[in-house]
Amino acid sequence: MTESLDIIYISLSGNTDIFVKRLAHHLTDINQASSDMQLVNVKFVDDFYTVTRPFIAILPTYLKGGNGTDNGFEEILTDKLRYFLAYHDNYHLCQGIIGSGNRNFNKQFALTAKQYAEQFSFPVLDEFELRGNKYDIERITNTIINLKQTN
């Protein structure tokens, strides 16, 4: 078993939570997650804390109307993750972010992850739609494995 990255995320409707749990299960099944890998949904974190281990972040996109280009790029509902990343510079241990959304919203798809990446200077590792599918799980698992091997 190799050292794994923790996953810090926010899930509001449950789609991201389901995806994260499936991803963690797959990482464990292929022996790429350590037994102490932490999954933290910041939605339920009342008191922010300083992160001490490397992690990846995952979040859905909820934006305020518009088209994501000229307007409608203002984040709503998920900003608790942004505050958590900023708290005591937690973002310094973030190895990258994975975004989700609904492809029906075109340019708004996974836009929040791109905004976080720009603000905090870490990469967008991947993106998936809604709850993701088995191909998303496999692809993102490979991305995480490659990320761990290069660090």
Side-chain angles (χ1 to χ4, degrees):
M1 194 172 329
T2 60
E3 187 177 332
S4 64
L5 297 170
D6 291 340
I7 301 174
I8 298 177
Y9 67 102
I10 189 163
S11 181
L12 303 169
S13 69
N15 285 338
T16 304
D17 189 58
I18 289 168
F19 180 83
V20 167
K21 288 176 180 169
R22 287 173 47 220
L23 178 64
H25 182 66
H26 188 65
L27 283 162
T28 301
D29 281 352
I30 63 168
N31 208 24
Q32 289 294 322
S34 66
S35 59
D36 69 338
M37 179 175 72
Q38 295 179 21
L39 308 178
V40 179
N41 184 348
V42 298
K43 175 182 177 183
F44 302 113
V45 174
D46 293 326
D47 296 317
F48 290 166
Y49 58 91
T50 302
V51 174
T52 59
R53 300 176 352 165
F55 66 94
I56 59 170
I58 302 178
L59 85 158
T61 297
Y62 288 94
L63 299 170
K64 198 176 208 176
N67 61 18
T69 303
D70 306 308
N71 55 28
F73 40 78
E74 182 181 337
E75 174 186 14
I76 58 172
L77 306 174
T78 57
D79 53 353
K80 190 171 183 181
L81 180 60
R82 184 185 302 271
Y83 302 143
F84 183 86
L85 290 170
Y87 182 79
H88 287 213
D89 295 333
N90 280 334
Y91 68 91
H92 285 300
L93 286 174
C94 184
Q95 305 299 297
I97 193 161
I98 297 168
S100 73
N102 186 326
R103 292 192 190 278
N104 288 338
F105 294 112
N106 300 315
K107 292 185 186 262
Q108 287 183 334
F109 175 72
L111 182 60
T112 309
K114 295 168 189 163
Q115 293 171 336
Y116 279 44
E118 183 176 331
Q119 177 183 351
F120 295 114
S121 298
F122 47 61
V124 174
L125 300 172
D126 210 323
E127 47 195 38
F128 63 95
E129 186 172 23
L130 302 173
R131 292 182 178 190
N133 58 42
K134 71 177 188 171
Y135 303 108
D136 295 324
I137 295 291
E138 291 168 2
R139 184 184 70 252
I140 292 172
T141 294
N142 288 331
T143 298
I144 292 170
I145 292 167
N146 291 335
L147 180 66
K148 290 187 324 184
Q149 291 173 347
T150 59
N151 287 334

